[in-house]
Amino acid sequence: MKLLRAAWRLLVGIKDALVLVAMLLFFGVLFAGLSARPNRAAVRDGALVVALDGVLVEQPAPAQLDFGGGGGPREYRLRDVIRVLDAARDDKRVKAVVLDVDGFLGGLPAALNEVGAAIGRVRASGKPVLAYATAYSDSSYRLAAHASEIWMNPMGGTLFSGPGGSRLYYKGLIDKLGVNLHVYRVGKYKSFVEPYTRTDESPESAEAARALYGAIAADWRDTVAKARPKAQVAAYLTNPAQVIAAAKGDIAQANLGAGLVDKLGDRAAFEQRVAALAGVGRPKSITAFAAIRYDAYLAANPLPKTGDAIGVVTVAGDIVDGRADPGTAGGDSIAALIRDGLRNKSLKALVVRVDSPGGSALASETIRSALMEAKAKKLPVIISMASVAASGGYWVATAGDVIFAEPNTITGSIGIFGILPSFENSLAKLGITSDGVKTTPLSGQPDVMGGFSTEVDTILQAGIEHGYAQFIDRVAKARKKTPAQVDAIAQGRVWDGGTARQIGLVDRFGGLQEALDEAAKRAGLDPKKVHAEYLEKAPDRWAALLNDFLRDGDEDKGELGDAFTRLAAERRAVLAQALGDVKRLATGAAVQARCLECAALVPVRPGAADQSLLALFLARIGL
């Protein structure tokens, strides 16, 4: 028996050793495969393919492992896209640029204009830029208008919807559920609470939205007209039904006749055209032309690291209390990045890139306080407003010496509100009541199960009014105005960047580069001899590499729908918006500075609708 047991242990040991060797070989091959991908995608002569299959953002959310083969849309960092396009201008290997926006899910106007300007710079260098899509949306056409050739599938077609549309209002549902919402706010235009307290839009909200969306629509028209003056766009904006009916429903031919597109052809025909300009693809290539992959080209053109460092901190997404991953502006996370940069990075100045509709007032102040520490060290602090810098985003901006914005940046919304639900009426419908002994007027308050006392309502409203006064005071000191002057342009009103400059909320027009140049000058440095030191959490390289591996072959895609399919997809985003509204009510900070009008313009990002209504409500009431 001893001999048998020894033999068995030997066999088990051999088995375990073989399993261990197999696992080591597997992970070794996996690591080698992931590491070798940049070499397989080496940059050779050809056409640079900028295929924006996802959303354009200021700061992507962290990569998550996706073993479904890259099923979710990708987030493209704005500064990366611009860097790739600018590098292509003088690169002799790049014979042409392909702008593939068939899967583009959109971006905010200011970001789109920056990419459009970069495309224009490529064309100005003498290189052709060819755009392709089955059907163009407002966002994708804004980019494609800058191309030298616009191609579209003959089975597709393009219609433009413009900013605006319906918004969901939840008061009827809230009343049916018996939820009692306690709202405290200052500012007649501070409309973020309206979906929870009204069944329709208030006159003040409609007034602000008309002005903002009107300015954005006018900027779209002007941008397209300047980039493509022969395109007859006006009829598609004012009377699209008549135009399409006259073409007997052939939207693609109508687009071609109006000069919106240059060529009708499927992807195969488009690739043959690119091959004639950039060369034929190699055997077994997934494209008919010699292609330079976006990711490989981005890796081949890293950020410069020479010269003095100017710190760049990004405040992107909802501003929330505590810590958060990139793509969401956690107050403590960003403050820690700023303080770490001040201690360890030998920074000569600081640029704050704001792309946020606001959020928690406390978190906004946490970030502003960290920026004031930089100013106390005599570092110049320059604000660079991206697409959105409203409410809490503007609160952060009050720390800057100079504020740059784009003409179509969405900013202002200087106001504050608090919103807290209680469920005494909901419980009463179930026959549940509450009672108890109180030793002070605030015992057990705010009581989300039994209702709020008048003392609590008075205290919370007073706190909101004090918070608004703080907001006004910070803006007044930063903009060298009186509190009364700021109050007149505040009241929660949202402004486009052009108007914001006229009323003194913004100093100059310009993007991130102009802000970096100004920071260098104020620090006494040569703007040509500095580099941007981005203060941000390092990405998870393993997740990014593995997702890149799993996404292999993404370029070999089919067509993504005609004009009607694209419009329907945009409308389906309303569901994700509704879930986001409920989430903010159920789990957001009680005191917030947030912009309602901004939400209608922000493209839906991956994972925006991943939580159920029931789960969100239960999370709030602790069940």
Side-chain angles (χ1 to χ4, degrees):
M1 291 299 295
K2 289 183 179 180
L3 181 62
L4 289 175
R5 282 197 295 269
W8 177 253
R9 285 197 295 268
L10 177 62
L11 290 174
V12 171
I14 293 173
K15 182 264 295 180
D16 291 343
L18 289 173
V19 169
L20 178 61
V21 170
M23 291 180 63
L24 289 173
L25 286 173
F26 171 78
F27 285 109
V29 170
L30 179 62
F31 179 79
L34 293 174
S35 302
R37 289 185 58 77
N39 294 327
R40 289 165 47 200
V43 176
R44 299 180 175 87
D45 289 4
L48 172 63
V49 180
V50 181
L52 300 178
D53 300 326
V55 293
L56 184 65
V57 299
E58 189 66 34
Q59 186 180 60
Q64 302 293 328
L65 290 181
D66 183 3
F67 291 98
R74 180 174 172 179
E75 295 185 336
Y76 290 83
R77 191 196 305 267
L78 172 62
R79 72 170 186 257
D80 291 345
V81 176
I82 293 173
R83 186 165 90 246
V84 161
L85 290 169
D86 282 339
R89 287 183 297 167
D90 302 319
D91 191 338
K92 294 181 180 180
R93 296 171 297 181
V94 179
K95 309 302 180 184
V97 172
V98 169
L99 180 66
D100 189 338
V101 289
D102 207 13
F104 187 46
L105 300 179
L108 282 164
L112 296 172
N113 273 3
E114 288 196 58
V115 175
I119 295 170
R121 292 192 290 271
V122 175
R123 284 192 62 187
S125 72
K127 293 184 179 180
V129 179
L130 293 87
Y132 180 85
T134 305
Y136 291 92
S137 65
D138 296 31
S139 293
S140 60
Y141 193 80
R142 192 182 195 123
L143 299 181
H146 296 273
S148 44
E149 292 183 21
I150 302 180
W151 282 66
M152 187 173 69
N153 191 298
M155 294 297 291
T158 292
L159 297 170
F160 304 118
S161 56
S166 298
R167 180 182 294 125
L168 294 174
Y169 289 81
Y170 310 111
K171 186 178 187 307
L173 172 62
I174 288 170
D175 288 346
K176 286 184 178 180
L177 295 174
V179 178
N180 185 12
L181 285 184
H182 304 263
V183 175
Y184 317 93
R185 70 170 182 169
V186 181
K188 66 178 182 178
Y189 294 101
K190 199 62 185 174
S191 55
F192 191 86
V193 299
E194 287 187 2
Y196 310 109
T197 61
R198 294 178 59 94
T199 58
D200 59 358
E201 190 172 27
S202 71
E204 294 82 6
S205 176
E207 175 191 349
R210 273 193 296 269
L212 177 64
Y213 297 162
I216 291 173
D219 179 74
W220 187 94
R221 290 193 301 269
D222 294 345
T223 299
V224 170
K226 184 178 179 181
R228 197 169 180 84
K230 294 183 179 180
Q232 301 169 23
V233 175
Y236 284 84
L237 298 173
T238 58
N239 201 347
Q242 182 177 334
V243 174
I244 303 308
K248 297 181 179 180
D250 193 335
I251 302 176
Q253 281 295 335
N255 295 158
L256 182 65
L260 270 66
V261 299
D262 298 301
K263 300 284 185 180
L264 296 180
D266 61 14
R267 187 173 289 276
F270 173 74
E271 290 189 1
Q272 289 298 327
R273 168 59 178 157
V274 178
L277 295 170
V280 178
R282 291 174 294 159
K284 297 183 180 180
S285 172
I286 59 175
T287 57
F289 60 89
I292 302 171
R293 293 186 58 185
Y294 172 88
D295 290 325
Y297 198 69
L298 179 64
N301 290 275
L303 289 166
K305 289 293 183 182
T306 58
D308 292 309
I310 294 179
V312 180
V313 61
T314 303
V315 181
D318 286 352
I319 300 176
V320 300
D321 294 326
R323 295 187 173 274
D325 287 327
T328 300
D332 291 345
S333 297
I334 294 176
L337 289 171
I338 294 169
R339 293 183 177 115
D340 179 69
L342 295 176
R343 286 193 304 266
N344 303 318
K345 302 290 185 180
S346 300
L347 304 179
K348 304 300 182 182
L350 198 60
V351 171
V352 186
R353 182 71 166 171
V354 182
D355 191 48
S356 171
S360 164
L362 174 61
S364 301
E365 176 60 17
T366 299
I367 298 169
R368 192 196 75 90
S369 295
L371 295 174
M372 296 306 292
E373 293 178 24
K375 295 187 73 170
K377 295 178 181 292
K378 307 300 182 185
L379 265 66
V381 176
I382 309 300
I383 304 297
S384 173
M385 291 183 171
S387 296
V388 182
S391 292
Y394 197 89
W395 187 303
V396 171
T398 59
D401 301 314
V402 178
I403 297 178
F404 284 86
E406 301 289 351
N408 53 3
T409 293
I410 303 166
T411 188
S413 193
I414 299 168
I416 189 170
F417 69 89
I419 181 168
L420 290 169
S422 63
F423 302 94
E424 65 274 19
N425 297 330
S426 305
L427 295 174
K429 291 183 177 183
L430 300 175
I432 302 173
T433 58
S434 64
D435 198 4
V437 175
K438 301 176 178 61
T439 57
T440 75
L442 298 182
S443 294
Q445 293 291 333
D447 187 349
V448 297
M449 298 304 174
F452 291 11
S453 67
T454 56
E455 289 88 350
V456 165
D457 284 334
T458 300
I459 290 170
L460 291 177
Q461 180 61 37
I464 293 297
E465 291 175 2
H466 174 67
Y468 180 69
Q470 283 185 310
F471 202 164
I472 292 292
D473 181 65
R474 280 159 174 57
V475 175
K477 290 178 179 176
R479 308 309 302 162
K480 296 179 173 57
K481 295 178 179 292
T482 66
Q485 289 174 320
V486 174
D487 185 55
I489 58 177
Q491 296 290 323
R493 179 72 180 263
V494 181
W495 306 97
D496 63 277
T499 306
R501 185 180 179 186
Q502 293 174 8
I503 62 178
L505 293 178
V506 167
D507 294 301
R508 305 178 199 172
F509 290 147
L512 180 58
Q513 187 57 55
E514 287 74 17
L516 287 166
D517 291 345
E518 178 66 20
K521 290 177 183 177
R522 287 178 174 254
L525 305 172
D526 183 347
K528 296 181 180 180
K529 297 181 180 179
V530 301
H531 74 273
E533 184 74 30
Y534 288 94
L535 309 179
E536 54 193 11
K537 182 180 178 181
D540 185 338
R541 286 188 68 251
W542 275 104
L545 280 171
L546 188 54
N547 278 334
D548 184 47
F549 182 80
L550 293 170
R551 287 177 184 270
D552 193 19
D554 276 358
E555 297 88 343
D556 187 19
K557 58 190 178 184
E559 312 298 356
L560 297 184
D562 56 19
F564 303 108
T565 304
R566 191 167 292 276
L567 288 175
E570 291 177 355
R571 293 306 96 202
R572 283 197 294 271
V574 173
L575 172 61
Q577 179 185 333
L579 294 178
D581 288 341
V582 175
K583 181 178 180 181
R584 280 183 282 270
L585 173 62
T587 62
V591 180
Q592 301 186 45
R594 191 187 296 272
C595 163
L596 174 68
E597 292 82 358
C598 308
L601 300 169
V602 178
V604 176
R605 298 176 71 164
D610 61 354
Q611 298 189 60
S612 71
L613 296 174
L614 177 62
L616 291 168
F617 273 119
L618 294 181
R620 183 61 176 184
I621 63 176
L623 296 178

